[in-house]
Amino acid sequence: MTGAEIVIRALQDQGVAHIFGYPGGAVLPIYDALFQTEDLEHVLVRHEQGATHMAEGYARSTGKCGVVLVTSGPGATNAVTGLTDALMDSIPMVCITGQVPTHLIGSDAFQECDTVGITRPCTKHNYLVKDVNDLAQVLHEAFYVATRGRPGPVVVDIPKDVQFATGRYVGPGDIIHKSYQPRLKGDVAKIREAVELLASARKPIFYTGGGVINSGPRASELVREFADLTGAPVTSTLMGLGAYPASGPQWLGMLGMHGTFEANNAMHDCDVMLCVGARFDERITGRLDAFSPGSKKIHIDIDPSSINKNVRVDVGVVGDVAHVLEEMVAIWKASRSRIDPAGLADWWRRINSWQARNCLEFKNSDETIKPQHAVRRLYELTKGPNTYVTTEVGQHQMWAAQYFRFDEPNRWMTSGGLGTMGYGLPAAVGVQKAHPDALVIDIAGEASIQMCIQELSTAIQYNLPVKIFILNNEYMGMVRQWQQLLHGSRYSHSYSEALPDFVKLAEAYGATGLRVSNPAELDDTIRKMVETPGPVVVDVHVDKMENCFPMIPSGRAHNEMLLGEAGEQTINQAITDEGKKLV
């Protein structure tokens, strides 16, 4: 087989159904082989960054590995943002890149770049294949590495002459990776220690992350079962939303910088914390030396390097979340463990007092659409198990996390670690391709949506009925908020000037465009968006100066949250009185 044919055969044997890509000279042999097969559907993107985000959305919503195919040079460099995004959020992806012929590597040939060197810091692993007889094994290894252990992106760089050369094909069953064998089952002694520590708690909390989603549906089921057995409250990172149902009785909401008052205070005051598949990033912990200072910490993670990386823990269990929780639940039941009822009851009374603050309440308006109200109404009118939500990055992303409630895993796709503006639309295309009958909504901002707006053309070409719900406040909202609160209202280049007419822009692409600014017309506009066939862009004009609260200012602890207008007054007074910024 030729190298190009080996690529196609390897993808078929890996069960790949969809590829997101863009052709170019150094990858044309693979595209020619792709032309001659009917088993793989290729989705032609408009920019290689869009391909990577589509693969991310596809992977996150299905649990499968996303696949990208791009050419050398700018094709590979355009993919770097999406590769980094996937690495930060642990999304499985195999990105196949073309490369100039082997004898031209290093000669500054046309569309040559050091793809392996450039992508080394932003991938889980990468390969440059110089021998066609190594190609099949490398491709199968790439899928193994991308999906095993902590998932992530893998690049396979294939020179053009290797694609033309003839070589031997080996199937995936013949591949045994000798050096990378992630541990799935946790150490039983450590698990027993974790169970004993949890049973000793009076103020427990479950802190769940994206690792629960990545581990598969069984992991989410076990989180729910274990929470029910222990009676402990549950909170989640941005990436973990849906692992425990938002309608569940023990749900505290998201925690972190824009998390709920009750979740953050519970994290601060708990005595035993069970961290499941999360990595203690700074948007969650706030000031490290003030993070949950009185608690004993248990950390379950499949990545050994995550244990004690940011926060020292008392019990670290390395293993797949589903496997470890299965063992923990079994031991808990067998030992008839229980958390002290009196202590737990007192803990819930304190939590209920925090919940009574209604930290997500806001002053609604009959004249101007409040962005929180827009997301809340969007949720009420579209909620259901067949609804998937993606977001761009900014205020709208946080409002979506706060007001759109998820009861199931794999329904929420957002850029967490890297915070990539432009992620949402291509991710929605990837989700819609994976779930053609689902309602897929990209909650966007007027600034972020323009980063990858060209992928609306992809949605049109493949008749993918994604719905784009723009919260248009004419600012880069989160930048503007920080400038207002931390930089004396000096709005340096955060105003979105020269905005397009989004209705006309949608129509220019061949989509439907809608606009709403009157709160009384919001519900009907949302219903029309859902009922209209094909891609729809909704331009929702919202309050320009609304800020996203609750908020933990940078460098502050969880129990130093700012709430609503009182929060604005507090932080502005601090700047005025002390003459310094909160950093």
Side-chain angles (χ1 to χ4, degrees):
M1 301 172 68
T2 67
E5 292 168 338
I6 287 173
V7 171
I8 300 303
R9 176 69 180 274
L11 295 177
Q12 291 170 329
D13 285 352
Q14 288 292 335
V16 175
H18 299 97
I19 307 169
F20 303 94
Y22 202 92
V27 79
L28 284 183
I30 298 175
Y31 270 89
D32 188 54
L34 186 62
F35 184 81
Q36 300 177 59
T37 182
E38 296 180 354
D39 296 335
L40 298 173
E41 182 179 0
H42 178 273
V43 177
L44 178 66
V45 304
R46 301 306 186 260
H47 189 284
E48 290 87 354
Q49 179 183 344
T52 54
H53 295 328
M54 287 179 199
E56 286 186 275
Y58 185 94
R60 186 74 173 172
S61 66
T62 63
K64 300 176 182 178
C65 186
V67 180
V68 173
L69 177 60
V70 298
T71 193
S72 63
T77 58
N78 282 346
V80 164
T81 297
L83 292 170
T84 310
D85 194 274
L87 182 69
M88 293 283 280
D89 287 345
S90 305
I91 308 299
M93 181 195 302
V94 170
C95 179
I96 299 169
T97 59
Q99 183 56 273
V100 300
T102 52
H103 68 278
L104 291 178
I105 292 176
S107 69
D108 292 334
F110 178 66
Q111 289 193 334
E112 180 194 1
C113 74
D114 180 7
T115 300
V116 167
I118 289 169
T119 62
R120 184 172 288 118
C122 63
T123 55
K124 188 176 177 182
H125 195 57
N126 61 16
Y127 302 85
L128 172 62
V129 184
K130 293 186 176 181
D131 185 339
V132 68
N133 290 304
D134 296 332
L135 182 55
Q137 177 169 338
V138 165
L139 286 165
H140 295 313
E141 278 192 12
F143 278 89
Y144 176 91
V145 172
T147 57
R148 300 306 196 279
R150 179 179 176 178
V154 176
V155 163
V156 182
D157 197 32
I158 311 174
K160 193 170 184 178
D161 57 326
V162 173
Q163 299 171 41
F164 277 124
T166 302
R168 181 175 56 90
Y169 179 78
V170 292
D174 301 322
I175 304 301
I176 299 176
H177 204 291
K178 298 178 180 179
S179 61
Y180 184 58
Q181 297 288 338
R183 183 172 186 168
L184 296 181
K185 294 188 176 182
D187 182 280
V188 176
K190 288 284 188 182
I191 294 174
R192 289 187 181 278
E193 186 181 352
V195 168
E196 291 172 5
L197 182 56
L198 188 61
S200 71
R202 293 177 63 86
K203 299 183 294 181
I205 192 168
F206 283 18
Y207 156 35
T208 60
V212 180
I213 310 290
N214 288 341
S215 184
R218 180 59 180 152
S220 295
E221 293 170 4
L222 287 164
V223 164
R224 299 165 192 224
E225 181 181 359
F226 202 24
D228 185 56
L229 285 170
T230 61
V234 183
T235 184
S236 169
T237 67
L238 180 73
M239 297 301 294
L241 295 176
Y244 183 86
S247 61
Q250 290 153 253
W251 176 241
L252 301 186
M254 183 178 71
L255 80 158
M257 179 171 283
H258 292 287
T260 66
F261 186 71
E262 52 268 30
N264 282 325
N265 276 290
M267 282 287 279
H268 186 271
D269 288 359
C270 70
D271 63 359
V272 176
M273 175 194 305
L274 175 61
C275 174
V276 188
R279 56 188 177 87
F280 293 101
D281 72 280
E282 91 289 348
R283 288 295 170 112
I284 293 300
T285 62
R287 199 173 86 233
L288 275 174
D289 63 359
F291 172 67
S292 195
S295 69
K296 299 288 187 181
K297 300 174 181 67
I298 304 163
H299 189 187
I300 303 170
D301 205 293
I302 200 165
D303 182 4
S305 70
S306 290
I307 307 292
N308 294 318
K309 180 179 181 180
N310 296 326
V311 171
R312 298 293 300 179
V313 298
D314 298 275
V315 181
V317 183
V318 178
D320 176 73
V321 165
H323 285 80
V324 174
L325 284 179
E326 191 106 50
E327 191 73 30
M328 287 188 79
V329 169
I331 293 173
W332 185 274
K333 289 179 177 178
S335 62
R336 297 185 177 179
S337 299
R338 64 183 304 204
I339 293 171
D340 176 64
L344 189 60
D346 184 60
W347 180 226
W348 271 108
R349 278 191 290 271
R350 292 180 63 187
I351 290 171
N352 291 337
S353 71
W354 292 323
Q355 289 175 324
R357 294 288 297 271
N358 290 325
C359 68
L360 295 181
E361 283 303 307
F362 56 92
K363 288 186 177 179
N364 210 352
S365 170
D366 293 330
E367 299 177 356
T368 305
I369 298 176
K370 293 289 186 177
Q372 304 97 316
H373 176 67
V375 175
R376 182 177 283 177
R377 294 308 303 155
L378 179 68
Y379 164 71
E380 291 294 341
L381 293 169
T382 63
K383 61 184 176 181
N386 206 32
T387 297
Y388 295 76
V389 173
T390 70
T391 76
E392 311 293 335
V393 168
Q395 283 180 319
H396 62 273
Q397 176 190 30
M398 294 298 104
W399 283 317
Q402 291 172 336
Y403 295 96
F404 207 105
R405 299 165 62 82
F406 297 93
D407 281 348
E408 300 294 335
N410 305 104
R411 303 301 192 274
W412 164 251
M413 277 59 63
T414 195
S415 175
L418 194 61
T420 306
M421 294 174 70
Y423 168 91
L425 173 53
V429 170
V431 174
Q432 192 79 75
K433 176 52 70 174
H435 307 277
D437 297 325
L439 173 61
V440 182
I441 306 168
D442 171 29
I443 299 177
E446 86 291 333
S448 282
I449 191 62
Q450 295 187 81
M451 290 281 187
C452 288
I453 189 67
Q454 71 280 347
E455 301 311 331
L456 186 56
S457 178
T458 304
I460 293 293
Q461 178 177 343
Y462 295 93
N463 195 29
L464 300 172
V466 296
K467 313 303 181 185
I468 304 163
F469 193 76
I470 302 173
L471 301 182
N472 185 349
N473 57 13
E474 299 183 7
Y475 278 98
M476 300 174 204
M478 193 62 81
V479 174
R480 197 271 314 148
Q481 175 171 335
W482 280 61
Q483 287 173 336
Q484 177 189 348
L485 301 183
L486 306 180
H487 298 277
S489 296
R490 293 182 292 276
Y491 302 125
S492 179
H493 300 284
S494 57
Y495 182 64
S496 298
E497 298 187 62
L499 282 174
D501 181 325
F502 286 108
V503 172
K504 290 182 178 178
L505 184 62
E507 292 170 350
Y509 275 106
T512 299
L514 304 173
R515 181 180 293 111
V516 61
S517 58
N518 185 345
E521 299 173 358
L522 178 63
D523 282 15
D524 286 343
T525 303
I526 293 172
R527 293 189 187 97
K528 187 173 182 180
M529 174 193 79
V530 174
E531 295 166 0
T532 301
V536 180
V537 177
V538 184
D539 184 13
V540 186
H541 286 228
V542 298
D543 190 320
K544 293 179 174 57
M545 301 301 288
E546 192 74 9
N547 285 330
C548 185
F549 287 105
M551 174 183 174
I552 303 175
S554 294
R556 294 300 183 94
H558 275 157
N559 62 344
E560 297 178 286
M561 296 189 73
L562 305 178
L563 304 178
E565 291 182 358
E568 292 187 28
Q569 293 168 4
T570 299
I571 198 165
N572 283 328
Q573 192 64 46
I575 294 171
T576 301
D577 292 348
E578 302 174 28
K580 62 181 181 180
K581 304 183 185 74
L582 297 173
V583 179

